[in-house]
Amino acid sequence: MTTLLERPEDMLRDLRNQLGPQAVLIGNEVPARNCNDWSASLPQTPLAVIRPVDAAGVAAAIATCRKAGLPFVPQGGLTGLCRGAAPEPGWVAISLERMTGIEEIDRASATMTVKAGTPLETIQKAADEAGFFFPLDLGSRGSCAIGGNLSTNAGGNRVIRYGMTRELVLGLEVVLPDGTVITNLNKLMKNNAGYDLKHLFIGSEGTLGIITRVVLRLFPKPRSTMAALCALKDYAAVVALLDAARSGLGPLLSAFEVMWPDYWEMITARAGVKPPVAAGHGLYVLVEAQGTDESIDAPRFQAWLEGLMERGLLADAAVAQSLAQTQKFWAVRDICAEFGQVLGPHISYDIGLAVARMDEFVTRCKAALADGIKGCESVYYGHIGDGNLHLVSWVTGLPIERQPKDAMDAIIYGLVREMSGSVSAEHGIGTLKKQWLGHARSEAEIALMRTLKAALDPDHLLNPGKVI
Amino acid sequence: MTTLLERPEDMLRDLRNQLGPQAVLIGNEVPARNCNDWSASLPQTPLAVIRPVDAAGVAAAIATCRKAGLPFVPQGGLTGLCRGAAPEPGWVAISLERMTGIEEIDRASATMTVKAGTPLETIQKAADEAGFFFPLDLGSRGSCAIGGNLSTNAGGNRVIRYGMTRELVLGLEVVLPDGTVITNLNKLMKNNAGYDLKHLFIGSEGTLGIITRVVLRLFPKPRSTMAALCALKDYAAVVALLDAARSGLGPLLSAFEVMWPDYWEMITARAGVKPPVAAGHGLYVLVEAQGTDESIDAPRFQAWLEGLMERGLLADAAVAQSLAQTQKFWAVRDICAEFGQVLGPHISYDIGLAVARMDEFVTRCKAALADGIKGCESVYYGHIGDGNLHLVSWVTGLPIERQPKDAMDAIIYGLVREMSGSVSAEHGIGTLKKQWLGHARSEAEIALMRTLKAALDPDHLLNPGKVI
């Protein structure tokens, strides 16, 4: 019996006897991978890592942590950028890394039931092999776990067509901070029997419960992909193009990625990417559509673009003639993943803004950064159709630890507040953006978040101090 | 000052002085419309009806109710079927009927901001006039209010393409049970700054807060509509047709309505609907697709159907050659709204089931009702692609109050529990389905719902006793 033991380490060893030697790693046994996320903050070593294989094991882990009075943090692929899954010294990490695998594909319901530690790429491939498409896609697809995608409500490139992760989830199993297992592996699009509890856990960054299994929606596999790189004279033309894409391509529209000229010039000058259209324009847009029949969809896409050229909406445009060319177009947009090599040390931002005000933000933010911080440069790009803007800022020559992040934060998030935007469009809050949450949410909203947290986790042992 | 007044009626009169004579109706002034929903239960007259024109007015109404210790229930169009918005004697109804109107259409964000009392049909028309499409559609469109659509997470015919009401909402303003106004009129698809609080209020049937304003997503207007009525030999063929529709029509698929043969025979024999295909088949399916270009989409739809005929999947099929014909096809499905005249007194059910198990349910349920209740007949139809089955059961010759509803409930919801379905796919729980909630949700889930209710409404004054 563990009730007579007193030291947390002894309680953890007792749990190891219960769950097996691979399930509990203590002190020096803690692997480096469990000490940090991808945010490039300093690693922090937890007291222990618990690696259960099912919800009952998570409940047992929680019971031990509660008995020992130890804070605990859920971990998936640890690819987060805001320290939502990062541990603190003295905490226990409950990692779902051994809880992987696809439990079922239900063809009639078009659903897949998976364990929460399963990497996104594994899910994408299993859907593909079963003749379906799972649309969520991020740069970290090979490393991130679906449970982490849920806990951060991950976005990515295809939100304009398929929605955020939240929209791709039908059911889940979650372990509450008190160890209660809630199993609702719902497969129904329509289910209004009582409160829809899953939305409480999706996007709350592991502060309200630990997701252990997920039922995902599957979609028909696209059978054609069309892409164009368009150059436009100004942002009004970009908004008109977005309107034309929505109405002309309808539900086939699958991406609408906008790049401001500084971004375009930097990638062509510094990164050596050969651009599909010439420089010198006001803005650049990558438009993608996915359909069901290449022979019909491709000519139609081409005709739609030609119509826009005739209307004078586009200054220039290149249409991909093959999948290889589509991938080349995407390379222009995806190069931002390699900014480290291109730019050197820099700070990345992920913000939300009303579509209509994006360009105003870019102009004002660029000027404010240049005026307020000596030598500060910045470039802008984003998933405009979803209201999501990314920006990267830096002072050339300074190492990362001397980049004026605090001053940049103050300027950028100050403008976000002024323009009623969001300080996090898709990366979450974690601890790194916590001080700026009040720039995007009212006091009443944050108070309600605290009420929910206190109702579910009155002892504040689950991932304390994250988000709110 | 009201603090010296003691009687609730006096406090309500004081509120009338504050909000105006149209805003507070007491005792005999209470209109009949505020005493019941569409569930055909007995009307109950509340002590008063408060009709504010904005969130501050709702907060003032709540303050008065709290001071007087009176339970209060939010009301929209009162078209609900489960008594979620129905008052009890001694309660106060807070009706949003004077809080109507469209505040803004943001073309670039493709959003519409509306007051919560606005009728759904007003929203549909405003979207249409602005060149957009708002896809939510229900039989009660002329009477139901958008706030009520949110509070019940309304479904309808186009869920397979556009999702439930929940998926159509980006932001909202809500007044909490303590009178706090939460304003988050978010227009961004991507916004992960803290917990997504709106999902707490959507689908909770007015038990956690009173929604006062809503930001809705708008969609491109469909420019072509294709429809076919298909006859198939058995349910396996229906599942194969659903798979073929998902992959062949892709995102254009906008409805997939299945009718079992008893339904088909009844509507043709008793309702006098002239069916587009002959009787005698195993099942009937109405397939609808909406596209962007009639000249391309219509021949493509026709070719897709011909391919299915050649494969032998369809026993028979009729393709609509005009919008008038499409409407005739829908009449076959929509006739269920007139069941009262066709069938006489009957009980309607709205349940959720995994697509793969629908036909098994229909066979077992029909037999169990006929075996268990003397003279009990039943017919079946539904939005199969969403996992939503409707059924209607009756004993011929009995008036509504003598229909054996309790016995039907026990058989139907017993089977739903056994087959892991939902006791409410789209109508909600209210009070009428409350005793069956445990057939669809676990004790742990219901306990968590109670935790949330207690956290937001510790005095249980907002719509008490509904849902849980």
Side-chain angles (χ1 to χ4, degrees):
Chain A
M1 291 298 293
T2 58
T3 44
L4 298 176
L5 300 172
E6 281 190 318
R7 292 176 57 232
E9 287 80 358
D10 292 334
M11 296 182 193
L12 289 164
R13 280 190 199 97
D14 190 68
L15 183 69
R16 175 147 64 188
N17 292 337
Q18 188 186 336
L19 298 183
Q22 291 302 305
V24 184
L25 306 174
I26 307 171
N28 291 339
E29 302 160 358
V30 170
R33 88 173 281 281
N34 299 94
C35 298
N36 211 355
D37 65 3
W38 283 12
S39 67
S41 309
L42 284 178
Q44 303 290 348
T45 307
L47 188 65
V49 177
I50 307 180
R51 309 188 297 186
V53 293
D54 55 21
V58 171
I62 288 176
T64 297
C65 292
R66 294 184 66 84
K67 202 164 49 180
L70 298 171
F72 48 100
V73 53
Q75 295 189 334
L78 284 152
T79 59
L81 295 169
C82 298
R83 292 190 64 73
E88 296 292 332
W91 289 22
V92 171
I94 299 180
S95 171
L96 304 199
E97 63 199 79
R98 297 204 302 152
M99 213 181 293
T100 60
I102 287 146
E103 295 195 342
E104 187 203 35
I105 292 178
D106 179 334
R107 298 195 63 83
S109 293
T111 59
M112 182 191 287
T113 306
V114 299
K115 292 178 183 164
T118 310
L120 174 58
E121 198 169 43
T122 305
I123 292 166
Q124 292 173 334
K125 284 182 180 165
D128 186 67
E129 280 162 21
F132 286 101
F133 178 61
F134 184 65
L136 181 65
D137 193 38
L138 325 170
S140 61
R141 66 187 70 81
S143 309
C144 64
I146 189 71
N149 297 146
L150 263 74
S151 80
T152 54
N153 187 29
N157 293 328
R158 299 214 178 83
V159 172
I160 199 169
R161 164 111 162 232
Y162 297 97
M164 302 288 279
T165 297
R166 185 183 298 284
E167 273 83 47
L168 308 176
V169 177
L170 290 177
L172 50 76
E173 179 182 72
V174 63
V175 188
L176 299 185
D178 68 1
T180 305
V181 179
I182 299 261
T183 303
N184 187 342
L185 298 174
N186 170 62
K187 293 178 180 178
L188 313 177
M189 284 281 287
K190 286 183 169 175
N191 189 348
N192 280 342
Y195 301 170
D196 194 336
L197 300 170
K198 66 175 177 286
H199 291 295
L200 205 54
F201 304 100
I202 301 171
S204 55
E205 302 184 47
T207 62
L208 297 178
I210 302 181
I211 295 165
T212 49
R213 285 194 286 173
V214 187
V215 181
L216 299 166
R217 290 177 67 188
L218 299 177
F219 291 80
K221 206 183 272 199
R223 301 228 190 87
S224 64
T225 300
M226 290 70 63
L229 248 170
C230 308
L232 300 100
K233 73 172 190 298
D234 56 23
Y235 191 72
V238 170
V239 173
L241 176 61
L242 176 59
D243 200 49
R246 281 177 176 144
S247 61
L249 302 173
L252 304 191
L253 177 64
S254 53
F256 193 90
E257 302 293 314
V258 177
M259 294 158 272
W260 271 261
D262 292 352
Y263 173 95
W264 189 265
E265 281 150 29
M266 187 189 68
I267 54 157
T268 51
R270 299 204 204 182
V273 170
K274 197 167 149 37
V277 297
H281 296 285
L283 282 146
Y284 304 84
V285 181
L286 171 56
V287 183
E288 189 195 77
Q290 294 186 326
T292 53
D293 187 333
E294 178 89 37
S295 67
I296 298 172
D297 299 325
R300 187 170 178 173
F301 184 77
Q302 180 95 32
W304 171 74
L305 267 180
E306 282 163 9
L308 298 180
M309 286 294 281
E310 280 164 27
R311 269 174 58 194
L313 191 59
L314 308 178
D316 196 2
V319 184
Q321 300 298 335
S322 64
L323 202 60
Q325 252 185 324
T326 298
Q327 283 162 353
K328 271 193 188 157
F329 285 10
W330 272 104
V332 179
R333 171 64 179 78
D334 287 341
I335 191 73
C336 58
E338 292 160 44
F339 270 169
Q341 288 130 54
V342 180
L343 287 175
H346 65 277
I347 314 289
S348 298
Y349 293 88
D350 158 53
I351 62 173
L353 285 165
V355 177
R357 303 194 71 183
M358 290 266 180
D359 194 52
E360 179 194 346
F361 177 90
V362 170
T363 306
R364 290 176 61 185
C365 189
K366 197 171 183 68
L369 287 171
D371 291 350
I373 303 169
K374 194 171 147 55
C376 188
E377 300 177 75
S378 54
V379 297
Y380 302 79
Y381 56 102
H383 321 287
I384 299 309
D386 316 321
N388 184 190
L389 186 73
H390 291 292
L391 78 97
V392 165
S393 59
W394 71 95
V395 176
T396 304
L398 294 186
I400 186 70
E401 65 275 11
R402 288 189 50 221
Q403 289 286 336
K405 181 176 181 301
D406 291 346
M408 294 173 184
D409 281 2
I411 290 170
I412 292 164
Y413 295 132
L415 256 181
V416 166
R417 176 166 61 178
E418 196 186 321
M419 295 177 68
S420 305
S422 171
V423 296
S424 182
E426 55 182 3
H427 294 170
I429 296 295
T431 55
L432 293 186
K433 289 190 173 185
K434 210 171 90 167
Q435 73 173 115
W436 304 108
L437 183 61
H439 277 44
R441 307 295 294 266
S442 66
E443 274 178 39
E445 288 177 274
I446 295 170
L448 179 53
M449 294 178 205
R450 292 214 171 95
T451 298
L452 294 172
K453 173 68 175 168
L456 268 74
D457 184 22
D459 304 318
H460 286 268
L461 284 174
L462 173 60
N463 219 0
K466 303 290 177 72
V467 185
I468 45 175
Chain B
M1 292 298 292
T2 59
T3 45
L4 298 175
L5 300 172
E6 280 189 321
R7 291 177 56 234
E9 287 80 356
D10 291 335
M11 296 183 193
L12 288 164
R13 279 190 201 96
D14 190 69
L15 183 69
R16 174 147 63 189
N17 291 338
Q18 187 187 335
L19 299 183
Q22 291 303 307
V24 184
L25 306 174
I26 307 172
N28 291 338
E29 302 161 357
V30 169
R33 88 172 281 280
N34 300 94
C35 299
N36 211 354
D37 64 4
W38 284 13
S39 66
S41 310
L42 285 178
Q44 303 288 349
T45 307
L47 187 65
V49 177
I50 307 180
R51 309 187 299 185
V53 294
D54 56 20
V58 172
I62 288 176
T64 297
C65 293
R66 294 184 66 83
K67 201 165 47 180
L70 298 171
F72 48 101
V73 52
Q75 296 188 333
L78 283 153
T79 60
L81 295 170
C82 299
R83 295 189 62 75
E88 297 291 332
W91 289 21
V92 171
I94 301 180
S95 171
L96 304 198
E97 64 199 81
R98 296 204 303 153
M99 213 180 294
T100 61
I102 287 146
E103 295 195 340
E104 186 202 37
I105 291 178
D106 180 334
R107 297 197 62 83
S109 293
T111 58
M112 182 192 287
T113 305
V114 299
K115 292 178 183 164
T118 310
L120 173 58
E121 198 170 42
T122 304
I123 292 166
Q124 291 173 335
K125 283 182 180 164
D128 186 67
E129 281 162 21
F132 286 101
F133 179 61
F134 183 65
L136 181 65
D137 193 39
L138 324 171
S140 61
R141 66 186 71 81
S143 309
C144 64
I146 190 69
N149 298 146
L150 264 73
S151 79
T152 54
N153 186 31
N157 294 328
R158 299 214 177 82
V159 171
I160 199 169
R161 163 110 163 234
Y162 296 97
M164 302 287 280
T165 297
R166 185 183 298 285
E167 273 84 46
L168 308 176
V169 176
L170 290 176
L172 50 76
E173 178 182 73
V174 63
V175 188
L176 299 186
D178 68 0
T180 306
V181 179
I182 300 261
T183 304
N184 186 342
L185 299 175
N186 171 62
K187 293 178 181 177
L188 314 176
M189 283 281 288
K190 286 182 170 177
N191 189 347
N192 281 342
Y195 303 170
D196 193 336
L197 300 170
K198 67 176 177 287
H199 290 295
L200 205 53
F201 304 102
I202 301 171
S204 55
E205 302 183 48
T207 62
L208 298 178
I210 302 180
I211 295 166
T212 49
R213 284 195 289 173
V214 186
V215 181
L216 299 166
R217 292 176 66 187
L218 299 177
F219 292 79
K221 207 183 272 201
R223 300 227 191 87
S224 63
T225 299
M226 291 70 64
L229 248 170
C230 308
L232 300 100
K233 72 170 190 299
D234 55 25
Y235 192 70
V238 170
V239 173
L241 176 61
L242 177 59
D243 200 49
R246 282 177 176 143
S247 61
L249 303 173
L252 304 190
L253 177 63
S254 54
F256 192 90
E257 301 292 316
V258 177
M259 293 158 273
W260 271 260
D262 291 353
Y263 175 96
W264 189 264
E265 281 150 29
M266 186 189 69
I267 54 157
T268 52
R270 299 203 204 181
V273 170
K274 197 167 147 34
V277 296
H281 296 284
L283 282 147
Y284 304 84
V285 181
L286 171 56
V287 183
E288 189 194 78
Q290 293 187 326
T292 54
D293 188 333
E294 177 91 36
S295 68
I296 298 171
D297 297 325
R300 188 170 176 172
F301 184 77
Q302 179 95 35
W304 171 74
L305 266 180
E306 283 163 8
L308 298 180
M309 286 294 279
E310 282 163 26
R311 269 175 57 193
L313 192 59
L314 308 179
D316 196 3
V319 185
Q321 300 298 335
S322 65
L323 202 59
Q325 252 185 324
T326 298
Q327 282 163 351
K328 272 193 188 156
F329 286 8
W330 272 104
V332 179
R333 171 64 179 78
D334 286 343
I335 191 75
C336 58
E338 292 161 45
F339 271 170
Q341 288 130 53
V342 179
L343 285 178
H346 65 277
I347 314 291
S348 298
Y349 292 88
D350 159 51
I351 61 173
L353 284 164
V355 178
R357 304 195 70 183
M358 290 267 180
D359 193 52
E360 179 195 345
F361 177 89
V362 170
T363 305
R364 290 177 60 186
C365 189
K366 196 171 183 70
L369 287 171
D371 291 350
I373 302 171
K374 195 172 147 51
C376 187
E377 297 177 75
S378 54
V379 298
Y380 302 78
Y381 57 102
H383 321 288
I384 299 307
D386 316 321
N388 185 190
L389 186 72
H390 290 294
L391 79 96
V392 165
S393 57
W394 71 94
V395 175
T396 303
L398 296 185
I400 186 71
E401 64 276 12
R402 290 190 49 220
Q403 288 286 335
K405 181 176 180 302
D406 292 345
M408 293 175 184
D409 281 3
I411 289 170
I412 292 165
Y413 295 133
L415 256 180
V416 165
R417 175 166 62 178
E418 195 186 321
M419 295 178 66
S420 304
S422 170
V423 297
S424 181
E426 55 182 3
H427 294 171
I429 297 295
T431 55
L432 293 187
K433 289 191 174 186
K434 211 171 87 168
Q435 72 173 115
W436 305 108
L437 184 60
H439 277 43
R441 306 296 293 265
S442 67
E443 275 178 38
E445 288 177 273
I446 294 170
L448 179 52
M449 293 179 205
R450 291 215 171 94
T451 299
L452 294 171
K453 174 67 175 169
L456 268 75
D457 183 21
D459 304 317
H460 286 267
L461 284 174
L462 173 58
N463 217 1
K466 303 291 178 71
V467 185
I468 44 175

